[in-house]
Amino acid sequence: MNQRIPSCQRSVVVQPFLSQDFVTGLPTIPDTYLPQEVEDKMVEAVLTVPGISRVLYDRTAKPPGTTKWELFDLRSLLRQMISARSIG
Protein backbone atom coordinates (compact mmCIF):
# COMPACT_ATOMS: atom_id res chain seq x y z
CA MET A 1 0.00 0.00 0.00
CA ASN A 2 1.32 3.44 -0.98
CA GLN A 3 1.22 5.92 1.94
CA ARG A 4 1.45 9.66 1.52
CA ILE A 5 3.80 11.22 4.02
CA PRO A 6 3.33 14.96 4.62
CA SER A 7 6.34 17.09 3.84
CA CYS A 8 7.50 20.07 5.85
CA GLN A 9 9.61 21.21 2.93
CA ARG A 10 8.71 23.94 0.46
CA SER A 11 7.02 23.75 -2.91
CA VAL A 12 7.95 25.82 -5.95
CA VAL A 13 5.49 26.94 -8.61
CA VAL A 14 6.78 27.19 -12.18
CA GLN A 15 4.77 29.41 -14.53
CA PRO A 16 6.14 29.20 -18.07
CA PHE A 17 4.20 31.49 -20.40
CA LEU A 18 4.51 33.30 -23.73
CA SER A 19 4.35 37.09 -23.86
CA GLN A 20 5.44 39.93 -26.08
CA ASP A 21 4.71 42.69 -23.58
CA PHE A 22 4.83 40.99 -20.13
CA VAL A 23 1.33 42.41 -19.52
CA THR A 24 -0.58 39.63 -21.24
CA GLY A 25 0.48 36.07 -21.88
CA LEU A 26 -0.56 32.51 -22.59
CA PRO A 27 0.60 29.48 -20.62
CA THR A 28 2.99 27.20 -22.47
CA ILE A 29 1.72 23.77 -23.37
CA PRO A 30 4.33 21.00 -23.08
CA ASP A 31 5.62 19.83 -26.48
CA THR A 32 3.68 22.60 -28.25
CA TYR A 33 5.40 25.84 -27.23
CA LEU A 34 8.09 24.44 -24.96
CA PRO A 35 9.70 21.00 -25.33
CA GLN A 36 8.82 18.63 -22.49
CA GLU A 37 12.56 18.03 -22.02
CA VAL A 38 13.03 21.73 -21.14
CA GLU A 39 10.29 21.60 -18.51
CA ASP A 40 11.75 18.36 -17.12
CA LYS A 41 15.18 20.02 -16.81
CA MET A 42 13.64 23.01 -14.98
CA VAL A 43 12.00 20.66 -12.48
CA GLU A 44 15.20 18.66 -12.00
CA ALA A 45 17.20 21.85 -11.39
CA VAL A 46 14.71 23.20 -8.83
CA LEU A 47 14.58 19.87 -6.98
CA THR A 48 18.36 20.00 -6.43
CA VAL A 49 17.85 22.96 -4.08
CA PRO A 50 17.77 21.70 -0.48
CA GLY A 51 14.41 22.15 1.25
CA ILE A 52 12.23 21.79 -1.85
CA SER A 53 10.08 18.69 -2.11
CA ARG A 54 7.81 19.37 -5.07
CA VAL A 55 7.43 21.49 -8.19
CA LEU A 56 3.98 22.61 -9.32
CA TYR A 57 2.92 24.14 -12.65
CA ASP A 58 0.76 27.24 -12.96
CA ARG A 59 -0.94 27.20 -16.35
CA THR A 60 -2.95 30.38 -15.74
CA ALA A 61 -3.19 32.89 -18.59
CA LYS A 62 -2.16 36.46 -17.85
CA PRO A 63 -4.45 38.25 -17.05
CA PRO A 64 -6.01 37.20 -14.66
CA GLY A 65 -2.78 35.56 -13.46
CA THR A 66 0.27 37.47 -12.31
CA THR A 67 3.97 36.70 -12.61
CA LYS A 68 6.00 39.18 -10.62
CA TRP A 69 5.19 38.05 -7.08
CA GLU A 70 5.99 34.40 -7.82
CA LEU A 71 9.34 35.35 -9.36
CA PHE A 72 10.23 37.59 -6.42
CA ASP A 73 9.29 34.93 -3.85
CA LEU A 74 11.32 32.24 -5.64
CA ARG A 75 14.40 34.45 -5.80
CA SER A 76 14.10 35.30 -2.11
CA LEU A 77 13.57 31.66 -1.18
CA LEU A 78 16.57 30.49 -3.20
CA ARG A 79 18.79 33.20 -1.68
CA GLN A 80 17.72 32.18 1.84
CA MET A 81 18.35 28.49 1.15
CA ILE A 82 21.76 29.10 -0.41
CA SER A 83 22.73 31.35 2.49
CA ALA A 84 21.56 28.79 5.07
CA ARG A 85 23.38 26.02 3.24
CA SER A 86 26.67 27.93 3.21
CA ILE A 87 26.36 28.75 6.93
CA GLY A 88 25.39 25.20 8.02
Side-chain angles (χ1 to χ4, degrees), residues 80-88:
Q80 290 172 5
M81 291 179 157
I82 291 168
S83 176
R85 186 175 185 192
S86 64
I87 293 171

Side-chain angles (χ1 to χ4, degrees), residues 5-37:
I5 300 170
S7 173
C8 295
Q9 296 183 328
R10 297 189 184 252
S11 300
V12 171
V13 178
V14 177
Q15 186 186 28
F17 71 99
L18 301 170
S19 179
Q20 292 185 2
D21 57 11
F22 209 69
V23 174
T24 59
L26 297 173
T28 61
I29 299 169
D31 282 336
T32 302
Y33 300 113
L34 190 65
Q36 183 65 49
E37 297 80 27

Side-chain angles (χ1 to χ4, degrees), residues 34-48:
L34 190 65
Q36 183 65 49
E37 297 80 27
V38 172
E39 291 198 11
D40 293 343
K41 286 181 182 180
M42 287 190 303
V43 171
E44 288 174 24
V46 171
L47 288 175
T48 64

Side-chain angles (χ1 to χ4, degrees), residues 40-85:
D40 293 343
K41 286 181 182 180
M42 287 190 303
V43 171
E44 288 174 24
V46 171
L47 288 175
T48 64
V49 177
I52 295 182
S53 63
R54 63 184 58 88
V55 178
L56 307 166
Y57 288 100
D58 182 351
R59 303 281 188 206
T60 307
K62 186 177 181 307
T66 184
T67 58
K68 293 182 182 179
W69 71 270
E70 290 97 341
L71 180 62
F72 175 77
D73 285 348
L74 177 58
R75 284 183 182 161
S76 297
L77 173 63
L78 291 175
R79 281 190 197 116
Q80 290 172 5
M81 291 179 157
I82 291 168
S83 176
R85 186 175 185 192

